[in-house]
Amino acid sequence: MVDYKKYFPLTNGFITMDIRELEKITTDLKNGSDAGISKQHNSGKLTARERISRLVDSESFSELGMFVKHRAVSFGMADKDIPLDGVITGYARIANRPVYIAAQDFTVSGGTLGEMHAQKIAECQQRAMDAGVPIIFVNDSGGARIQEGVDALSGFGRIFHNAIKASGVIPQISIIAGPCAGGAVYAPALTDFIFVTDKVSKMFITGPNVIKEVTGEDVDFETLGGADTQSRISGVAHFRFHTEDECYEGVKKLLSYLPDNNLDDVRAVEYNDDDNRFSDALDSIIPSVASKPYDIKEVIRQIADDGDFFEYSEFFAPNIVTCFARIGGTSVGIVANQPMVYAGSLDCDASDKASRFVRTCDAFNIPLITLVDVPGFLPGVKEEHKGIIRHGAKLLYSYSEAVVPKITIILRKAYGGAYIAMCSKSLGADFVYAWPGAEIAVMGAEGAVGILYAKELKNDSDGTYKAQKISEYKKEFMSPLVAAQRGIVDDIIMPSVTRKRIISALQLLKSKKAYKIQKKHGNMPL
């Protein structure tokens, strides 16, 4: 055990200490063992203090709770010293913005969570809420400290409760920098953003050994809950990187798109782009063949400031792209169908991904730009059985509930219920623009003609009649002009002016005021 008395000698009833003695105590108390640090490095991981130094501005970290000790006495704990109780907490600045940080230290008792460990994190959460600043969690822990039993479990509950209170109030960011297993995974799951690193991050409820014992399935840690699994298959993680250093740079970039809290605006960032720039490449980006795909990310590059954007959930449900960008200096969230995958149709996973992103942007006052090229919801027995009705309803609900500025651009196809779900005018879009070749209808022309003229088509041996009716249907029902005449589309614009029109709309909507109906809360179709 650390002998605190030796650091605070009494002379005539008063504590006497000079600055050198104070530096000695902080050095002794804030580091894990040399063996623990070496083991951490040998496993390819940074220590908690190294991670904090990668994240924050130089010399800006102020530690809190350094002297906190556990109070457990069972199983030999009375004689066991756990520096900092296995977690480093404090506040700092990132790009000169204040943040709170709680970083678990795996070099100290495997970063296990006990009563006082949890108290330090919970107090950090409360301080961040009180200050109205983001909080960053670095998760690297063996889970609940078994020796502390129910006190450890209660500590998890307190952290979960605070995360829920902070949801939609301050940005909460989780970095999975090691194992995060069992009930502990719900701490990051309740935050806004989860970052993972290849060969470092591990997240799962039940470990491989238990799974093998209970179900007979043989799986390794990486396959079960590694970075690839959680970012590509489950969609639990939103950002994935190859190295820890890249991960921390990613956290910094994400923060640049976010406000400090839900009552604040995103800070302005300098950019070199021209607000009146024409993007001539967009005039020819849509293929002449309706079934031919193109990369929606190129459209995003053309409209974003300096062609830069930061993708959210890049590897999960790639048939829809969600990302942060700046347009005219304004931080925006972009939701866009990706014709390169499933022709841009919406399935269960894409609906969930987009819905979560829309709600995140709305919570933190980030305007939404929706780029539409959607042939419909993905058909099939598998999707129906997965609950495409329920999942698709989430997207409808999220867009309808969002009160931030909402601007929609219909690029090509906008069919059926999926057209509505992609932030149509009827769901509350402030402005809806369409490119000249856009098709807005219940379904594609060929399918519609097949239903409307089923009897006549039986005698159409050469396909002439069908071709004629398809042409008529497109002209009378699918042209953006028809939608514009009914006020469903505000304007038909050339693709090259898209960026300019978005900027002018964002400037107008800066003063948008939206009032919600008074109620406890809605009942989202989860």
Side-chain angles (χ1 to χ4, degrees):
M1 295 289 290
V2 174
D3 183 7
Y4 291 93
K5 293 180 180 178
K6 75 176 183 180
Y7 293 112
F8 297 95
L10 290 174
T11 303
N12 297 326
F14 294 95
I15 295 174
T16 60
M17 179 180 294
D18 62 28
I19 188 64
R20 287 169 297 181
E21 291 173 321
L22 185 59
E23 289 175 350
K24 179 66 168 62
I25 184 175
T26 55
T27 299
D28 283 357
L29 292 178
K30 72 182 184 180
N31 291 315
S33 68
D34 291 340
I37 293 172
S38 295
K39 187 176 181 180
Q40 185 82 344
H41 286 161
N42 290 337
S43 65
K45 300 195 300 182
L46 299 173
T47 66
R49 293 198 181 279
E50 288 168 341
R51 287 163 174 161
I52 291 172
S53 70
R54 299 293 205 279
L55 272 169
V56 306
D57 297 348
S58 179
E59 304 297 325
S60 71
F61 182 64
S62 296
E63 189 165 349
L64 300 171
M66 186 184 297
F67 295 92
V68 168
K69 295 175 61 180
H70 71 79
R71 303 189 295 181
V73 295
S74 301
F75 304 103
M77 289 292 288
D79 299 320
K80 186 172 184 179
D81 180 43
I82 304 178
L84 311 168
D85 209 44
V87 63
I88 301 169
T89 56
Y91 59 91
R93 304 188 78 82
I94 295 178
N96 206 32
R97 291 178 57 185
V99 298
Y100 271 88
I101 296 175
Q104 293 177 315
D105 190 347
F106 199 80
T107 70
V108 179
S109 260
T112 53
L113 182 141
E115 174 199 13
M116 302 307 292
H117 179 124
Q119 179 175 302
K120 288 178 68 174
I121 295 175
E123 287 187 359
C124 198
Q125 291 173 299
Q126 189 60 56
R127 291 172 189 267
M129 282 187 277
D130 292 343
V133 301
I135 185 168
I136 300 170
F137 303 94
V138 183
N139 297 266
D140 189 4
S141 170
R145 194 173 296 158
I146 298 173
Q147 298 92 327
E148 297 198 34
V150 72
D151 288 333
L153 295 179
S154 179
F156 273 126
R158 186 177 175 190
I159 293 169
F160 299 165
H161 184 64
N162 276 358
I164 293 164
K165 286 198 301 180
S167 182
V169 178
I170 57 173
Q172 301 181 82
I173 299 171
S174 291
I175 300 168
I176 311 303
C180 186
V185 296
Y186 289 110
L190 290 168
T191 61
D192 300 301
F193 306 100
I194 298 177
F195 285 72
V196 292
T197 301
D198 290 337
K199 299 181 181 179
V200 171
S201 308
K202 305 288 186 294
M203 296 181 76
F204 45 80
I205 294 291
T206 309
N209 294 336
V210 176
I211 288 177
K212 185 173 179 60
E213 183 178 335
V214 175
T215 70
E217 297 171 285
D218 197 355
V219 63
D220 58 40
F221 286 99
E222 194 67 35
T223 304
L224 179 63
D228 178 67
T229 296
Q230 299 296 7
S231 63
R232 181 177 58 86
I233 299 174
S234 71
V236 169
H238 307 110
F239 301 96
R240 171 188 166 195
F241 295 90
H242 293 303
T243 68
E244 284 202 63
D245 282 333
E246 290 176 355
C247 177
Y248 303 132
E249 289 302 313
V251 171
K252 295 176 187 179
K253 185 167 186 177
L254 172 65
L255 281 171
S256 73
Y257 293 105
L258 303 174
D260 287 340
N261 57 67
N262 66 325
L263 300 179
D264 203 358
D265 293 322
V266 181
R267 300 187 184 190
V269 175
E270 291 186 7
Y271 63 102
N272 301 315
D273 215 334
D274 180 3
D275 289 358
N276 295 311
R277 169 173 58 81
F278 286 81
S279 301
D280 294 330
L282 293 182
D283 286 338
S284 58
I285 198 168
I286 301 293
S288 56
V289 179
S291 60
K292 189 175 181 180
Y294 60 94
D295 190 355
I296 194 65
K297 293 181 186 180
E298 184 55 35
V299 177
I300 296 172
R301 290 186 189 95
Q302 291 293 325
I303 64 176
D305 291 350
D306 304 316
D308 187 42
F309 62 93
F310 190 47
E311 197 164 348
Y312 167 99
S313 287
E314 176 182 359
F315 305 103
F316 179 67
N319 43 320
I320 199 159
V321 173
T322 49
C323 64
F324 293 103
R326 291 184 187 84
I327 301 181
T330 299
S331 181
V332 299
I334 298 176
V335 180
N337 305 110
Q338 174 57 286
M340 300 287 287
V341 184
Y342 297 153
S345 58
L346 295 172
D347 62 356
C348 293
D349 288 343
S351 299
D352 277 3
K353 170 181 167 179
S355 176
R356 168 76 171 181
F357 184 73
V358 166
R359 288 171 66 82
T360 300
C361 290
D362 187 51
F364 295 114
N365 310 315
I366 299 172
L368 286 160
I369 311 298
T370 305
L371 305 178
V372 185
D373 188 350
V374 61
F377 284 95
L378 187 66
V381 174
K382 180 181 177 182
E383 287 299 307
E384 293 292 350
H385 288 183
K386 283 178 66 178
I388 186 65
I389 298 170
R390 174 168 51 87
H391 293 283
K394 295 177 188 179
L395 189 55
L396 291 161
Y397 192 102
S398 299
Y399 266 127
S400 293
E401 186 183 49
V403 296
V404 293
K406 293 180 286 188
I407 301 167
T408 299
I409 316 291
I410 302 174
L411 311 186
R412 186 166 62 172
K413 299 173 183 176
Y415 297 164
Y419 146 70
I420 301 172
M422 290 297 293
C423 201
S424 62
K425 195 75 170 286
S426 53
L427 282 194
D430 296 292
F431 291 101
V432 177
Y433 300 118
W435 287 2
E439 298 177 348
I440 307 166
V442 174
M443 63 175 65
E446 189 164 340
V449 166
I451 294 172
L452 294 171
Y453 303 99
K455 292 182 179 179
E456 293 84 346
L457 291 176
K458 290 179 180 178
N459 300 318
D460 183 31
S461 58
D462 60 358
T464 303
Y465 182 79
K466 182 178 182 180
Q468 176 190 340
K469 290 303 178 183
I470 286 175
S471 177
E472 291 175 359
Y473 185 86
K474 284 183 176 181
K475 183 177 180 180
E476 294 182 27
F477 296 101
M478 300 181 71
S479 167
L481 182 60
V482 176
Q485 290 171 339
R486 287 163 172 73
I488 295 170
V489 166
D490 292 303
D491 199 2
I492 301 170
I493 63 172
M494 288 300 295
S496 55
V497 304
T498 301
R499 169 180 163 82
K500 183 177 179 180
R501 294 300 294 268
I502 290 174
I503 290 174
S504 65
L506 287 171
Q507 291 171 344
L508 181 67
L509 293 169
K510 278 184 177 179
S511 58
K512 177 185 177 182
K513 300 294 181 184
Y515 302 95
K516 294 184 178 181
I517 298 172
Q518 185 63 38
K519 57 183 175 181
K520 190 173 183 180
H521 58 72
N523 191 15
M524 187 178 184
L526 297 172

PDB file of all heavy atoms in Angstrom, residues 483-506:
ATOM      1  N   ALA A 483     -43.916  17.280 -60.145  1.00  0.00           N
ATOM      2  CA  ALA A 483     -43.800  17.492 -58.698  1.00  0.00           C
ATOM      3  C   ALA A 483     -43.664  18.969 -58.375  1.00  0.00           C
ATOM      4  O   ALA A 483     -44.215  19.454 -57.373  1.00  0.00           O
ATOM      5  CB  ALA A 483     -42.598  16.712 -58.168  1.00  0.00           C
ATOM      6  N   ALA A 484     -42.953  19.720 -59.232  1.00  0.00           N
ATOM      7  CA  ALA A 484     -42.783  21.152 -59.004  1.00  0.00           C
ATOM      8  C   ALA A 484     -44.106  21.895 -59.162  1.00  0.00           C
ATOM      9  O   ALA A 484     -44.406  22.844 -58.422  1.00  0.00           O
ATOM     10  CB  ALA A 484     -41.739  21.705 -59.963  1.00  0.00           C
ATOM     11  N   GLN A 485     -44.919  21.458 -60.112  1.00  0.00           N
ATOM     12  CA  GLN A 485     -46.222  22.090 -60.319  1.00  0.00           C
ATOM     13  C   GLN A 485     -47.157  21.903 -59.122  1.00  0.00           C
ATOM     14  O   GLN A 485     -48.034  22.714 -58.877  1.00  0.00           O
ATOM     15  CB  GLN A 485     -46.869  21.518 -61.586  1.00  0.00           C
ATOM     16  CG  GLN A 485     -46.184  21.958 -62.868  1.00  0.00           C
ATOM     17  CD  GLN A 485     -46.699  21.225 -64.092  1.00  0.00           C
ATOM     18  OE1 GLN A 485     -47.273  20.123 -63.990  1.00  0.00           O
ATOM     19  NE2 GLN A 485     -46.482  21.798 -65.273  1.00  0.00           N
ATOM     20  N   ARG A 486     -46.938  20.822 -58.397  1.00  0.00           N
ATOM     21  CA  ARG A 486     -47.757  20.549 -57.213  1.00  0.00           C
ATOM     22  C   ARG A 486     -47.123  21.069 -55.925  1.00  0.00           C
ATOM     23  O   ARG A 486     -47.643  20.838 -54.831  1.00  0.00           O
ATOM     24  CB  ARG A 486     -48.020  19.042 -57.104  1.00  0.00           C
ATOM     25  CG  ARG A 486     -49.013  18.540 -58.144  1.00  0.00           C
ATOM     26  CD  ARG A 486     -48.958  17.038 -58.296  1.00  0.00           C
ATOM     27  NE  ARG A 486     -50.033  16.530 -59.150  1.00  0.00           N
ATOM     28  CZ  ARG A 486     -50.081  16.664 -60.474  1.00  0.00           C
ATOM     29  NH1 ARG A 486     -49.117  17.307 -61.102  1.00  0.00           N
ATOM     30  NH2 ARG A 486     -51.096  16.177 -61.165  1.00  0.00           N
ATOM     31  N   GLY A 487     -45.971  21.735 -56.044  1.00  0.00           N
ATOM     32  CA  GLY A 487     -45.309  22.299 -54.871  1.00  0.00           C
ATOM     33  C   GLY A 487     -44.549  21.291 -54.035  1.00  0.00           C
ATOM     34  O   GLY A 487     -44.072  21.615 -52.948  1.00  0.00           O
ATOM     35  N   ILE A 488     -44.426  20.074 -54.545  1.00  0.00           N
ATOM     36  CA  ILE A 488     -43.698  19.039 -53.804  1.00  0.00           C
ATOM     37  C   ILE A 488     -42.188  19.244 -53.959  1.00  0.00           C
ATOM     38  O   ILE A 488     -41.419  18.886 -53.070  1.00  0.00           O
ATOM     39  CB  ILE A 488     -44.126  17.642 -54.306  1.00  0.00           C
ATOM     40  CG1 ILE A 488     -45.607  17.415 -53.969  1.00  0.00           C
ATOM     41  CG2 ILE A 488     -43.273  16.546 -53.700  1.00  0.00           C
ATOM     42  CD1 ILE A 488     -46.192  16.177 -54.623  1.00  0.00           C
ATOM     43  N   VAL A 489     -41.803  19.819 -55.090  1.00  0.00           N
ATOM     44  CA  VAL A 489     -40.419  20.227 -55.342  1.00  0.00           C
ATOM     45  C   VAL A 489     -40.404  21.741 -55.468  1.00  0.00           C
ATOM     46  O   VAL A 489     -41.228  22.324 -56.170  1.00  0.00           O
ATOM     47  CB  VAL A 489     -39.879  19.566 -56.631  1.00  0.00           C
ATOM     48  CG1 VAL A 489     -38.593  20.237 -57.086  1.00  0.00           C
ATOM     49  CG2 VAL A 489     -39.662  18.075 -56.406  1.00  0.00           C
ATOM     50  N   ASP A 490     -39.459  22.388 -54.764  1.00  0.00           N
ATOM     51  CA  ASP A 490     -39.419  23.852 -54.768  1.00  0.00           C
ATOM     52  C   ASP A 490     -38.800  24.431 -56.028  1.00  0.00           C
ATOM     53  O   ASP A 490     -39.172  25.515 -56.464  1.00  0.00           O
ATOM     54  CB  ASP A 490     -38.638  24.347 -53.546  1.00  0.00           C
ATOM     55  CG  ASP A 490     -39.370  24.059 -52.247  1.00  0.00           C
ATOM     56  OD1 ASP A 490     -40.518  24.503 -52.104  1.00  0.00           O
ATOM     57  OD2 ASP A 490     -38.805  23.367 -51.380  1.00  0.00           O
ATOM     58  N   ASP A 491     -37.840  23.700 -56.595  1.00  0.00           N
ATOM     59  CA  ASP A 491     -37.208  24.213 -57.799  1.00  0.00           C
ATOM     60  C   ASP A 491     -36.481  23.074 -58.503  1.00  0.00           C
ATOM     61  O   ASP A 491     -36.034  22.115 -57.865  1.00  0.00           O
ATOM     62  CB  ASP A 491     -36.212  25.326 -57.457  1.00  0.00           C
ATOM     63  CG  ASP A 491     -35.866  26.194 -58.667  1.00  0.00           C
ATOM     64  OD1 ASP A 491     -36.428  25.946 -59.756  1.00  0.00           O
ATOM     65  OD2 ASP A 491     -35.031  27.111 -58.517  1.00  0.00           O
ATOM     66  N   ILE A 492     -36.381  23.183 -59.816  1.00  0.00           N
ATOM     67  CA  ILE A 492     -35.581  22.249 -60.621  1.00  0.00           C
ATOM     68  C   ILE A 492     -34.291  22.979 -60.955  1.00  0.00           C
ATOM     69  O   ILE A 492     -34.323  24.069 -61.545  1.00  0.00           O
ATOM     70  CB  ILE A 492     -36.322  21.832 -61.898  1.00  0.00           C
ATOM     71  CG1 ILE A 492     -37.664  21.173 -61.539  1.00  0.00           C
ATOM     72  CG2 ILE A 492     -35.468  20.869 -62.721  1.00  0.00           C
ATOM     73  CD1 ILE A 492     -38.566  20.943 -62.728  1.00  0.00           C
ATOM     74  N   ILE A 493     -33.167  22.411 -60.551  1.00  0.00           N
ATOM     75  CA  ILE A 493     -31.892  23.104 -60.689  1.00  0.00           C
ATOM     76  C   ILE A 493     -30.903  22.269 -61.495  1.00  0.00           C
ATOM     77  O   ILE A 493     -30.988  21.049 -61.530  1.00  0.00           O
ATOM     78  CB  ILE A 493     -31.279  23.416 -59.307  1.00  0.00           C
ATOM     79  CG1 ILE A 493     -30.965  22.120 -58.543  1.00  0.00           C
ATOM     80  CG2 ILE A 493     -32.212  24.307 -58.490  1.00  0.00           C
ATOM     81  CD1 ILE A 493     -30.193  22.328 -57.250  1.00  0.00           C
ATOM     82  N   MET A 494     -29.971  22.945 -62.116  1.00  0.00           N
ATOM     83  CA  MET A 494     -28.884  22.242 -62.778  1.00  0.00           C
ATOM     84  C   MET A 494     -27.967  21.662 -61.706  1.00  0.00           C
ATOM     85  O   MET A 494     -27.691  22.321 -60.690  1.00  0.00           O
ATOM     86  CB  MET A 494     -28.107  23.181 -63.691  1.00  0.00           C
ATOM     87  CG  MET A 494     -28.870  23.577 -64.950  1.00  0.00           C
ATOM     88  SD  MET A 494     -29.291  22.130 -65.974  1.00  0.00           S
ATOM     89  CE  MET A 494     -27.652  21.565 -66.471  1.00  0.00           C
ATOM     90  N   PRO A 495     -27.464  20.464 -61.911  1.00  0.00           N
ATOM     91  CA  PRO A 495     -26.574  19.858 -60.907  1.00  0.00           C
ATOM     92  C   PRO A 495     -25.386  20.742 -60.530  1.00  0.00           C
ATOM     93  O   PRO A 495     -24.989  20.787 -59.366  1.00  0.00           O
ATOM     94  CB  PRO A 495     -26.116  18.575 -61.591  1.00  0.00           C
ATOM     95  CG  PRO A 495     -27.248  18.208 -62.503  1.00  0.00           C
ATOM     96  CD  PRO A 495     -27.764  19.523 -63.017  1.00  0.00           C
ATOM     97  N   SER A 496     -24.850  21.473 -61.484  1.00  0.00           N
ATOM     98  CA  SER A 496     -23.650  22.281 -61.230  1.00  0.00           C
ATOM     99  C   SER A 496     -23.866  23.396 -60.217  1.00  0.00           C
ATOM    100  O   SER A 496     -22.900  23.890 -59.624  1.00  0.00           O
ATOM    101  CB  SER A 496     -23.128  22.879 -62.544  1.00  0.00           C
ATOM    102  OG  SER A 496     -24.146  23.619 -63.188  1.00  0.00           O
ATOM    103  N   VAL A 497     -25.105  23.808 -59.986  1.00  0.00           N
ATOM    104  CA  VAL A 497     -25.369  24.901 -59.036  1.00  0.00           C
ATOM    105  C   VAL A 497     -25.811  24.372 -57.676  1.00  0.00           C
ATOM    106  O   VAL A 497     -26.215  25.148 -56.810  1.00  0.00           O
ATOM    107  CB  VAL A 497     -26.421  25.886 -59.586  1.00  0.00           C
ATOM    108  CG1 VAL A 497     -25.998  26.429 -60.933  1.00  0.00           C
ATOM    109  CG2 VAL A 497     -27.806  25.242 -59.661  1.00  0.00           C
ATOM    110  N   THR A 498     -25.739  23.066 -57.476  1.00  0.00           N
ATOM    111  CA  THR A 498     -26.236  22.461 -56.231  1.00  0.00           C
ATOM    112  C   THR A 498     -25.569  23.070 -54.999  1.00  0.00           C
ATOM    113  O   THR A 498     -26.243  23.434 -54.028  1.00  0.00           O
ATOM    114  CB  THR A 498     -26.019  20.938 -56.249  1.00  0.00           C
ATOM    115  OG1 THR A 498     -26.707  20.384 -57.379  1.00  0.00           O
ATOM    116  CG2 THR A 498     -26.551  20.301 -54.983  1.00  0.00           C
ATOM    117  N   ARG A 499     -24.266  23.165 -55.010  1.00  0.00           N
ATOM    118  CA  ARG A 499     -23.542  23.716 -53.855  1.00  0.00           C
ATOM    119  C   ARG A 499     -24.009  25.141 -53.551  1.00  0.00           C
ATOM    120  O   ARG A 499     -24.293  25.490 -52.403  1.00  0.00           O
ATOM    121  CB  ARG A 499     -22.039  23.693 -54.126  1.00  0.00           C
ATOM    122  CG  ARG A 499     -21.204  24.474 -53.127  1.00  0.00           C
ATOM    123  CD  ARG A 499     -19.705  24.403 -53.464  1.00  0.00           C
ATOM    124  NE  ARG A 499     -18.960  25.453 -52.769  1.00  0.00           N
ATOM    125  CZ  ARG A 499     -18.547  25.369 -51.514  1.00  0.00           C
ATOM    126  NH1 ARG A 499     -18.830  24.296 -50.808  1.00  0.00           N
ATOM    127  NH2 ARG A 499     -17.860  26.358 -50.963  1.00  0.00           N
ATOM    128  N   LYS A 500     -24.104  25.947 -54.586  1.00  0.00           N
ATOM    129  CA  LYS A 500     -24.503  27.341 -54.404  1.00  0.00           C
ATOM    130  C   LYS A 500     -25.903  27.445 -53.814  1.00  0.00           C
ATOM    131  O   LYS A 500     -26.157  28.257 -52.913  1.00  0.00           O
ATOM    132  CB  LYS A 500     -24.437  28.063 -55.750  1.00  0.00           C
ATOM    133  CG  LYS A 500     -24.757  29.542 -55.686  1.00  0.00           C
ATOM    134  CD  LYS A 500     -24.600  30.182 -57.057  1.00  0.00           C
ATOM    135  CE  LYS A 500     -24.943  31.671 -56.990  1.00  0.00           C
ATOM    136  NZ  LYS A 500     -24.800  32.316 -58.332  1.00  0.00           N
ATOM    137  N   ARG A 501     -26.832  26.607 -54.294  1.00  0.00           N
ATOM    138  CA  ARG A 501     -28.211  26.666 -53.788  1.00  0.00           C
ATOM    139  C   ARG A 501     -28.300  26.176 -52.345  1.00  0.00           C
ATOM    140  O   ARG A 501     -29.088  26.682 -51.550  1.00  0.00           O
ATOM    141  CB  ARG A 501     -29.130  25.840 -54.692  1.00  0.00           C
ATOM    142  CG  ARG A 501     -29.283  26.399 -56.103  1.00  0.00           C
ATOM    143  CD  ARG A 501     -29.869  27.818 -56.103  1.00  0.00           C
ATOM    144  NE  ARG A 501     -31.229  27.867 -55.623  1.00  0.00           N
ATOM    145  CZ  ARG A 501     -32.316  27.772 -56.419  1.00  0.00           C
ATOM    146  NH1 ARG A 501     -32.159  27.595 -57.718  1.00  0.00           N
ATOM    147  NH2 ARG A 501     -33.514  27.847 -55.911  1.00  0.00           N
ATOM    148  N   ILE A 502     -27.504  25.174 -52.015  1.00  0.00           N
ATOM    149  CA  ILE A 502     -27.494  24.692 -50.626  1.00  0.00           C
ATOM    150  C   ILE A 502     -26.983  25.789 -49.691  1.00  0.00           C
ATOM    151  O   ILE A 502     -27.561  26.038 -48.625  1.00  0.00           O
ATOM    152  CB  ILE A 502     -26.624  23.427 -50.489  1.00  0.00           C
ATOM    153  CG1 ILE A 502     -27.298  22.244 -51.184  1.00  0.00           C
ATOM    154  CG2 ILE A 502     -26.396  23.096 -49.016  1.00  0.00           C
ATOM    155  CD1 ILE A 502     -26.449  20.976 -51.220  1.00  0.00           C
ATOM    156  N   ILE A 503     -25.926  26.478 -50.100  1.00  0.00           N
ATOM    157  CA  ILE A 503     -25.356  27.532 -49.260  1.00  0.00           C
ATOM    158  C   ILE A 503     -26.362  28.648 -49.028  1.00  0.00           C
ATOM    159  O   ILE A 503     -26.543  29.123 -47.897  1.00  0.00           O
ATOM    160  CB  ILE A 503     -24.061  28.086 -49.891  1.00  0.00           C
ATOM    161  CG1 ILE A 503     -22.956  27.027 -49.805  1.00  0.00           C
ATOM    162  CG2 ILE A 503     -23.621  29.369 -49.198  1.00  0.00           C
ATOM    163  CD1 ILE A 503     -21.675  27.409 -50.532  1.00  0.00           C
ATOM    164  N   SER A 504     -27.046  29.068 -50.080  1.00  0.00           N
ATOM    165  CA  SER A 504     -28.028  30.148 -49.921  1.00  0.00           C
ATOM    166  C   SER A 504     -29.179  29.718 -49.020  1.00  0.00           C
ATOM    167  O   SER A 504     -29.683  30.500 -48.201  1.00  0.00           O
ATOM    168  CB  SER A 504     -28.559  30.600 -51.288  1.00  0.00           C
ATOM    169  OG  SER A 504     -29.293  29.561 -51.923  1.00  0.00           O
ATOM    170  N   ALA A 505     -29.588  28.444 -49.128  1.00  0.00           N
ATOM    171  CA  ALA A 505     -30.669  27.943 -48.269  1.00  0.00           C
ATOM    172  C   ALA A 505     -30.215  27.866 -46.816  1.00  0.00           C
ATOM    173  O   ALA A 505     -30.970  28.207 -45.897  1.00  0.00           O
ATOM    174  CB  ALA A 505     -31.118  26.567 -48.764  1.00  0.00           C
ATOM    175  N   LEU A 506     -28.986  27.412 -46.586  1.00  0.00           N
ATOM    176  CA  LEU A 506     -28.461  27.339 -45.215  1.00  0.00           C
ATOM    177  C   LEU A 506     -28.374  28.721 -44.579  1.00  0.00           C
ATOM    178  O   LEU A 506     -28.684  28.889 -43.389  1.00  0.00           O
ATOM    179  CB  LEU A 506     -27.075  26.684 -45.224  1.00  0.00           C
ATOM    180  CG  LEU A 506     -27.033  25.166 -45.467  1.00  0.00           C
ATOM    181  CD1 LEU A 506     -25.590  24.706 -45.669  1.00  0.00           C
ATOM    182  CD2 LEU A 506     -27.666  24.414 -44.309  1.00  0.00           C
TER     183      LEU A 506
END
